[in-house]
Short mmCIF file of all heavy atoms in Angstrom, two decimals:
data_model
loop_
_atom_site.label_atom_id
_atom_site.label_comp_id
_atom_site.label_asym_id
_atom_site.label_seq_id
_atom_site.Cartn_x
_atom_site.Cartn_y
_atom_site.Cartn_z
N LYS W 22 0.83 -1.21 0.00
CA LYS W 22 0.00 0.00 0.00
C LYS W 22 0.87 1.25 0.00
O LYS W 22 0.52 2.26 -0.63
CB LYS W 22 -0.94 0.00 1.20
CG LYS W 22 -1.93 1.17 1.17
CD LYS W 22 -2.96 1.08 2.27
CE LYS W 22 -3.95 2.26 2.15
NZ LYS W 22 -4.98 2.22 3.21
N ASP W 23 1.99 1.21 0.70
CA ASP W 23 2.89 2.36 0.72
C ASP W 23 3.44 2.65 -0.67
O ASP W 23 3.63 3.81 -1.04
CB ASP W 23 4.04 2.09 1.70
CG ASP W 23 4.97 3.29 1.85
OD1 ASP W 23 4.47 4.38 2.19
OD2 ASP W 23 6.18 3.14 1.60
N MET W 24 3.68 1.60 -1.47
CA MET W 24 4.26 1.80 -2.79
C MET W 24 3.21 2.18 -3.83
O MET W 24 3.40 3.11 -4.62
CB MET W 24 4.99 0.54 -3.24
CG MET W 24 5.75 0.72 -4.56
SD MET W 24 6.77 -0.69 -5.04
CE MET W 24 5.57 -1.67 -5.95
N LEU W 25 2.06 1.48 -3.86
CA LEU W 25 1.09 1.65 -4.93
C LEU W 25 -0.17 2.41 -4.53
O LEU W 25 -0.95 2.82 -5.39
CB LEU W 25 0.71 0.29 -5.51
CG LEU W 25 1.80 -0.44 -6.29
CD1 LEU W 25 1.28 -1.75 -6.82
CD2 LEU W 25 2.31 0.40 -7.44
N GLY W 26 -0.40 2.53 -3.23
CA GLY W 26 -1.59 3.25 -2.79
C GLY W 26 -2.82 2.39 -2.62
O GLY W 26 -3.87 2.87 -2.19
N TYR W 27 -2.73 1.10 -2.93
CA TYR W 27 -3.85 0.17 -2.78
C TYR W 27 -3.43 -0.98 -1.87
O TYR W 27 -2.30 -1.47 -1.95
CB TYR W 27 -4.26 -0.45 -4.12
CG TYR W 27 -4.71 0.51 -5.18
CD1 TYR W 27 -4.09 0.55 -6.42
CD2 TYR W 27 -5.78 1.37 -4.95
CE1 TYR W 27 -4.51 1.42 -7.41
CE2 TYR W 27 -6.20 2.25 -5.93
CZ TYR W 27 -5.56 2.27 -7.16
OH TYR W 27 -5.98 3.14 -8.13
N PRO W 28 -4.34 -1.50 -1.03
CA PRO W 28 -4.07 -2.77 -0.36
C PRO W 28 -3.98 -3.88 -1.41
O PRO W 28 -4.58 -3.75 -2.50
CB PRO W 28 -5.31 -2.97 0.55
CG PRO W 28 -5.94 -1.62 0.64
CD PRO W 28 -5.63 -0.92 -0.64
N PRO W 29 -3.26 -4.95 -1.14
CA PRO W 29 -3.05 -6.00 -2.15
C PRO W 29 -4.34 -6.57 -2.74
O PRO W 29 -4.44 -6.75 -3.97
CB PRO W 29 -2.28 -7.08 -1.38
CG PRO W 29 -1.56 -6.34 -0.32
CD PRO W 29 -2.48 -5.22 0.08
N MET W 30 -5.34 -6.85 -1.91
CA MET W 30 -6.55 -7.47 -2.44
C MET W 30 -7.39 -6.49 -3.27
O MET W 30 -8.07 -6.89 -4.21
CB MET W 30 -7.38 -8.08 -1.30
CG MET W 30 -6.66 -9.19 -0.54
SD MET W 30 -5.85 -10.40 -1.63
CE MET W 30 -7.25 -11.12 -2.46
N GLN W 31 -7.32 -5.20 -2.92
CA GLN W 31 -8.02 -4.22 -3.75
C GLN W 31 -7.31 -4.08 -5.09
O GLN W 31 -7.97 -3.93 -6.14
CB GLN W 31 -8.07 -2.86 -3.05
CG GLN W 31 -8.88 -1.83 -3.82
CD GLN W 31 -8.94 -0.47 -3.16
OE1 GLN W 31 -8.61 -0.33 -1.99
NE2 GLN W 31 -9.36 0.52 -3.90
N TYR W 32 -6.00 -4.14 -5.07
CA TYR W 32 -5.23 -4.12 -6.32
C TYR W 32 -5.64 -5.30 -7.20
O TYR W 32 -5.86 -5.13 -8.41
CB TYR W 32 -3.74 -4.16 -6.00
CG TYR W 32 -2.84 -4.25 -7.21
CD1 TYR W 32 -2.39 -3.10 -7.85
CD2 TYR W 32 -2.41 -5.48 -7.70
CE1 TYR W 32 -1.56 -3.19 -8.97
CE2 TYR W 32 -1.58 -5.57 -8.81
CZ TYR W 32 -1.16 -4.42 -9.43
OH TYR W 32 -0.33 -4.52 -10.53
N ALA W 33 -5.72 -6.48 -6.62
CA ALA W 33 -6.10 -7.68 -7.39
C ALA W 33 -7.50 -7.52 -7.99
O ALA W 33 -7.74 -7.90 -9.14
CB ALA W 33 -6.04 -8.92 -6.50
N LEU W 34 -8.42 -6.96 -7.21
CA LEU W 34 -9.78 -6.76 -7.71
C LEU W 34 -9.79 -5.74 -8.85
O LEU W 34 -10.47 -5.93 -9.87
CB LEU W 34 -10.70 -6.29 -6.58
CG LEU W 34 -12.15 -5.99 -6.95
CD1 LEU W 34 -12.81 -7.20 -7.62
CD2 LEU W 34 -12.95 -5.55 -5.73
N ARG W 35 -9.02 -4.66 -8.70
CA ARG W 35 -8.94 -3.67 -9.78
C ARG W 35 -8.34 -4.28 -11.04
O ARG W 35 -8.71 -3.92 -12.16
CB ARG W 35 -8.14 -2.45 -9.31
CG ARG W 35 -8.83 -1.62 -8.23
CD ARG W 35 -7.99 -0.41 -7.84
NE ARG W 35 -8.03 0.63 -8.86
CZ ARG W 35 -8.96 1.58 -8.94
NH1 ARG W 35 -9.95 1.63 -8.05
NH2 ARG W 35 -8.91 2.49 -9.89
N LYS W 36 -7.40 -5.20 -10.87
CA LYS W 36 -6.85 -5.90 -12.03
C LYS W 36 -7.94 -6.71 -12.74
O LYS W 36 -8.00 -6.73 -13.98
CB LYS W 36 -5.72 -6.84 -11.60
CG LYS W 36 -4.41 -6.14 -11.29
CD LYS W 36 -3.60 -5.87 -12.56
CE LYS W 36 -3.07 -7.13 -13.17
NZ LYS W 36 -2.23 -6.87 -14.37
N LYS W 37 -8.79 -7.38 -11.98
CA LYS W 37 -9.89 -8.14 -12.57
C LYS W 37 -10.82 -7.22 -13.36
O LYS W 37 -11.22 -7.52 -14.50
CB LYS W 37 -10.69 -8.85 -11.47
CG LYS W 37 -10.02 -10.05 -10.82
CD LYS W 37 -10.92 -10.59 -9.71
CE LYS W 37 -10.30 -11.74 -8.97
NZ LYS W 37 -10.35 -13.00 -9.73
N ILE W 38 -11.19 -6.09 -12.74
CA ILE W 38 -12.09 -5.15 -13.40
C ILE W 38 -11.42 -4.57 -14.64
O ILE W 38 -12.06 -4.40 -15.70
CB ILE W 38 -12.50 -4.02 -12.43
CG1 ILE W 38 -13.24 -4.60 -11.21
CG2 ILE W 38 -13.38 -2.99 -13.15
CD1 ILE W 38 -14.53 -5.31 -11.52
N GLY W 39 -10.13 -4.25 -14.54
CA GLY W 39 -9.41 -3.72 -15.70
C GLY W 39 -9.36 -4.70 -16.85
O GLY W 39 -9.53 -4.33 -18.02
N GLU W 40 -9.13 -5.97 -16.53
CA GLU W 40 -9.12 -7.00 -17.58
C GLU W 40 -10.51 -7.14 -18.19
O GLU W 40 -10.65 -7.31 -19.41
CB GLU W 40 -8.66 -8.33 -16.99
CG GLU W 40 -8.68 -9.51 -17.95
CD GLU W 40 -7.73 -9.35 -19.12
OE1 GLU W 40 -6.82 -8.51 -19.07
OE2 GLU W 40 -7.91 -10.09 -20.12
N ALA W 41 -11.54 -7.05 -17.35
CA ALA W 41 -12.91 -7.11 -17.88
C ALA W 41 -13.18 -5.95 -18.82
O ALA W 41 -13.82 -6.12 -19.87
CB ALA W 41 -13.91 -7.10 -16.72
N GLN W 42 -12.70 -4.75 -18.48
CA GLN W 42 -12.88 -3.60 -19.37
C GLN W 42 -12.21 -3.84 -20.73
O GLN W 42 -12.78 -3.52 -21.77
CB GLN W 42 -12.29 -2.35 -18.71
CG GLN W 42 -13.12 -1.82 -17.55
CD GLN W 42 -12.49 -0.59 -16.94
OE1 GLN W 42 -11.32 -0.58 -16.59
NE2 GLN W 42 -13.26 0.48 -16.83
N THR W 43 -11.01 -4.40 -20.69
CA THR W 43 -10.31 -4.70 -21.94
C THR W 43 -11.13 -5.64 -22.81
O THR W 43 -11.27 -5.45 -24.02
CB THR W 43 -8.93 -5.32 -21.65
OG1 THR W 43 -8.13 -4.38 -20.93
CG2 THR W 43 -8.21 -5.71 -22.93
N LEU W 44 -11.70 -6.67 -22.20
CA LEU W 44 -12.49 -7.63 -22.94
C LEU W 44 -13.79 -7.01 -23.45
O LEU W 44 -14.25 -7.31 -24.57
CB LEU W 44 -12.79 -8.85 -22.06
CG LEU W 44 -11.57 -9.70 -21.67
CD1 LEU W 44 -11.93 -10.71 -20.59
CD2 LEU W 44 -10.99 -10.41 -22.89
N LEU W 45 -14.39 -6.13 -22.66
CA LEU W 45 -15.61 -5.46 -23.09
C LEU W 45 -15.35 -4.55 -24.29
O LEU W 45 -16.18 -4.45 -25.21
CB LEU W 45 -16.20 -4.63 -21.94
CG LEU W 45 -16.87 -5.41 -20.81
CD1 LEU W 45 -17.06 -4.52 -19.59
CD2 LEU W 45 -18.21 -5.98 -21.26
N ILE W 46 -14.20 -3.90 -24.29
CA ILE W 46 -13.87 -2.96 -25.36
C ILE W 46 -13.47 -3.70 -26.64
O ILE W 46 -13.85 -3.32 -27.74
CB ILE W 46 -12.71 -2.04 -24.92
CG1 ILE W 46 -13.17 -1.11 -23.80
CG2 ILE W 46 -12.17 -1.22 -26.09
CD1 ILE W 46 -12.03 -0.39 -23.11
N SER W 47 -12.70 -4.76 -26.49
CA SER W 47 -12.00 -5.33 -27.66
C SER W 47 -12.54 -6.67 -28.14
O SER W 47 -12.02 -7.20 -29.12
CB SER W 47 -10.51 -5.48 -27.33
OG SER W 47 -10.33 -6.36 -26.22
N THR W 48 -13.56 -7.24 -27.48
CA THR W 48 -14.10 -8.52 -27.91
C THR W 48 -15.62 -8.47 -27.94
O THR W 48 -16.24 -7.52 -27.47
CB THR W 48 -13.67 -9.67 -26.96
OG1 THR W 48 -14.46 -9.61 -25.74
CG2 THR W 48 -12.19 -9.61 -26.62
N ASP W 49 -16.20 -9.54 -28.47
CA ASP W 49 -17.66 -9.67 -28.50
C ASP W 49 -18.16 -10.72 -27.51
O ASP W 49 -19.30 -11.18 -27.60
CB ASP W 49 -18.13 -10.04 -29.90
CG ASP W 49 -17.91 -8.91 -30.90
OD1 ASP W 49 -18.11 -7.74 -30.51
OD2 ASP W 49 -17.51 -9.18 -32.05
N TYR W 50 -17.32 -11.11 -26.56
CA TYR W 50 -17.78 -12.05 -25.54
C TYR W 50 -18.95 -11.46 -24.78
O TYR W 50 -19.03 -10.23 -24.55
CB TYR W 50 -16.67 -12.35 -24.54
CG TYR W 50 -15.53 -13.19 -25.08
CD1 TYR W 50 -14.22 -12.71 -25.04
CD2 TYR W 50 -15.75 -14.45 -25.61
CE1 TYR W 50 -13.17 -13.48 -25.54
CE2 TYR W 50 -14.71 -15.22 -26.11
CZ TYR W 50 -13.42 -14.73 -26.07
OH TYR W 50 -12.39 -15.48 -26.56
N SER W 51 -19.88 -12.31 -24.34
CA SER W 51 -21.00 -11.84 -23.54
C SER W 51 -20.50 -11.43 -22.16
O SER W 51 -19.40 -11.82 -21.73
CB SER W 51 -22.05 -12.94 -23.39
OG SER W 51 -21.55 -13.99 -22.58
N ILE W 52 -21.29 -10.64 -21.46
CA ILE W 52 -20.89 -10.18 -20.13
C ILE W 52 -20.75 -11.36 -19.17
O ILE W 52 -19.84 -11.40 -18.34
CB ILE W 52 -21.90 -9.15 -19.60
CG1 ILE W 52 -21.82 -7.88 -20.46
CG2 ILE W 52 -21.64 -8.81 -18.14
CD1 ILE W 52 -22.85 -6.83 -20.17
N SER W 53 -21.62 -12.35 -19.28
CA SER W 53 -21.50 -13.53 -18.41
C SER W 53 -20.20 -14.29 -18.69
O SER W 53 -19.55 -14.78 -17.76
CB SER W 53 -22.71 -14.45 -18.58
OG SER W 53 -22.80 -14.93 -19.91
N GLN W 54 -19.81 -14.39 -19.96
CA GLN W 54 -18.55 -15.04 -20.30
C GLN W 54 -17.37 -14.27 -19.73
O GLN W 54 -16.43 -14.86 -19.17
CB GLN W 54 -18.40 -15.15 -21.83
CG GLN W 54 -19.28 -16.20 -22.48
CD GLN W 54 -19.16 -16.17 -24.00
OE1 GLN W 54 -19.29 -15.11 -24.63
NE2 GLN W 54 -18.91 -17.32 -24.60
N ILE W 55 -17.41 -12.96 -19.85
CA ILE W 55 -16.32 -12.13 -19.34
C ILE W 55 -16.22 -12.24 -17.82
O ILE W 55 -15.12 -12.33 -17.26
CB ILE W 55 -16.50 -10.67 -19.79
CG1 ILE W 55 -16.28 -10.56 -21.30
CG2 ILE W 55 -15.57 -9.73 -19.04
CD1 ILE W 55 -16.61 -9.20 -21.90
N ALA W 56 -17.36 -12.27 -17.16
CA ALA W 56 -17.35 -12.42 -15.69
C ALA W 56 -16.63 -13.70 -15.28
O ALA W 56 -15.81 -13.70 -14.36
CB ALA W 56 -18.79 -12.42 -15.16
#
């Protein structure tokens, strides 16, 4: 948290959401598939 500003598990969750955004933008997968 001192280095990145996020607790580790919040960072991991933001990574999941970020990857989901990439898939939403760049693919035609359904939202359930992306989840």
Side-chain angles (χ1 to χ4, degrees):
K22 186 174 182 180
D23 184 56
M24 186 174 88
L25 292 181
Y27 300 124
M30 298 313 296
Q31 184 181 346
Y32 175 88
L34 178 56
R35 292 181 74 87
K36 284 277 291 183
K37 287 177 183 284
I38 300 298
E40 177 63 17
Q42 287 180 308
T43 298
L44 294 169
L45 287 165
I46 292 167
S47 61
T48 76
D49 293 321
Y50 290 122
S51 69
I52 293 173
S53 62
Q54 286 175 309
I55 290 173

